[in-house]
Amino acid sequence: MQVSPITSQYKPYKPTFKSNERIFRDNLGNVLYRNTTNFFRDDLDWKKFGNFIQKKYKDTNKVNFYCYGCSDGSEPVSIVMLLKELFEDYDKFLPIIAKDIDETMIYNAKKGIIPIDYNDFEAINKYTNGKFDTYIKTSKYLLGFDPIPARIHPDIISKIDFSLANITEDINNIQQKNTILFCRNLWPYLNSEQDIIKLVDNLSEKLDSTSTIVIGNYDERVSLNKLLQSRNFQKVNDLSNVYEKPIKIYY
């Protein structure tokens, strides 16, 4: 199947807010990658996503949950909080395997100290039924648009396995079945168009219909939605940025 070039179809996207940002450039000043993140990033309908995986994996005893490009840990922490609120048997999704190429980010994430701002405070309360204080310890009276340090409850951090890895080199460590793969807003930072296509091809070969891929709005800069669909992934109905393989029917 022929796929049209994707690098010429970049569509600029800027997050509306962020609680943490680090930008890495090469010697010529070109951006290599960014660590830009916040809790419960709004390019995913988290409640609908929770309902979707609740239904899809209700009869599954163990689900493999990966979060690549995890940055400072905001996203895997968001995942654990969501699971804890939605599932009585949320242990079957644990641990969350969280990986990033930035050694400093992984070091900080393991310590459980993450910058947080007022938007994060509101998002966490929204998706945890007002239980911010249960999960996060910080000086709330200082919360504003500038991030301040916050300590994540140790029980939440203990549910996440943080490590250093590049998804393009780590794909053999991803399980084929019953896998939820978060690889959100990292695709434009891969080295080349060929690397993007190769990774999608590898995921298409690796994952079966019991698995789920979750991407982000920023990934549309490389037309990732179109590319995934060309490789036999289908968009989950009424849920942006979530894809799965169709179930094979044998006659």
Side-chain angles (χ1 to χ4, degrees):
M1 180 179 295
Q2 186 175 3
V3 179
S4 58
I6 55 179
T7 51
S8 63
Q9 301 178 30
Y10 280 11
K11 297 180 180 179
Y13 167 77
K14 294 182 179 180
T16 54
F17 57 85
K18 52 190 177 295
S19 63
N20 187 20
E21 179 174 358
R22 297 174 77 218
I23 300 176
F24 291 81
R25 302 177 185 272
D26 62 19
N27 293 333
L28 298 177
N30 300 310
V31 174
L32 296 176
Y33 64 93
R34 288 183 173 89
N35 288 119
T36 303
T37 188
N38 50 266
F39 289 85
F40 294 103
R41 282 187 288 187
D42 61 2
D43 54 354
L44 175 65
D45 189 322
W46 289 84
K47 287 187 176 180
K48 284 186 179 179
F49 174 72
N51 293 334
F52 165 73
I53 63 173
Q54 195 168 38
K55 181 178 180 180
K56 179 169 181 174
Y57 298 106
K58 63 182 176 66
D59 297 322
T60 305
N61 293 326
K62 177 67 179 81
V63 181
N64 308 294
F65 211 134
Y66 302 88
C67 180
Y68 283 88
C70 70
S71 190
D72 66 1
S74 299
E75 188 135 273
V77 168
S78 298
I79 292 167
V80 175
M81 289 190 289
L82 183 77
L83 295 174
K84 193 173 176 63
E85 292 298 318
L86 289 181
F87 296 87
E88 291 184 4
D89 59 342
Y90 81 105
D91 283 349
K92 72 180 184 180
F93 294 94
L94 302 177
I96 307 300
I97 307 299
K99 303 189 179 190
D100 198 273
I101 63 173
D102 187 329
E103 187 174 4
T104 299
M105 283 291 166
I106 292 298
Y107 174 78
N108 290 334
K110 287 180 176 180
K111 292 194 300 181
I113 298 177
I114 299 177
I116 200 167
D117 63 22
Y118 188 77
N119 289 299
D120 294 313
F121 168 75
E122 289 194 323
I124 292 167
N125 268 333
K126 176 181 178 181
Y127 291 107
T128 64
N129 297 309
K131 296 179 184 176
F132 178 88
D133 292 333
T134 301
Y135 297 115
I136 312 289
K137 184 176 181 180
T138 193
S139 301
K140 288 193 294 184
Y141 68 92
L142 294 177
L143 281 171
F145 293 107
D146 293 323
I148 61 173
R151 182 174 293 278
I152 312 302
H153 195 287
D155 181 62
I156 300 298
I157 296 299
S158 72
K159 305 293 192 292
I160 306 169
D161 182 2
F162 289 105
S163 63
L164 196 66
N166 186 322
I167 187 173
T168 61
E169 302 167 356
D170 201 54
I171 191 166
N172 288 334
N173 290 319
I174 299 173
Q175 295 296 313
Q176 177 187 19
K177 297 179 179 295
N178 299 317
T179 284
I180 300 174
L181 174 61
F182 269 50
C183 47
R184 288 164 39 76
N185 302 310
L186 61 83
W187 293 80
Y189 302 118
L190 298 185
N191 290 332
S192 67
E193 176 182 341
Q194 289 70 34
D195 286 343
I196 294 169
I197 293 173
K198 181 179 179 181
L199 180 55
V200 172
D201 285 341
N202 287 339
L203 291 174
S204 181
E205 290 182 14
K206 179 82 173 178
L207 301 177
D208 69 7
S209 61
T210 63
S211 298
T212 304
I213 289 183
V214 186
I215 63 172
N217 282 357
Y218 190 68
D219 298 317
E220 188 54 18
R221 290 196 66 182
V222 295
S223 300
L224 186 59
N225 292 281
K226 180 180 178 181
L227 185 56
L228 285 170
Q229 291 177 80
S230 76
R231 297 305 197 269
N232 203 32
F233 289 100
Q234 62 184 18
K235 183 179 177 295
V236 174
N237 289 336
D238 199 31
L239 192 52
S240 296
N241 294 327
V242 181
Y243 289 83
E244 62 182 347
K245 285 279 196 69
I247 297 174
K248 289 184 179 180
I249 300 176
Y250 298 95
Y251 296 95

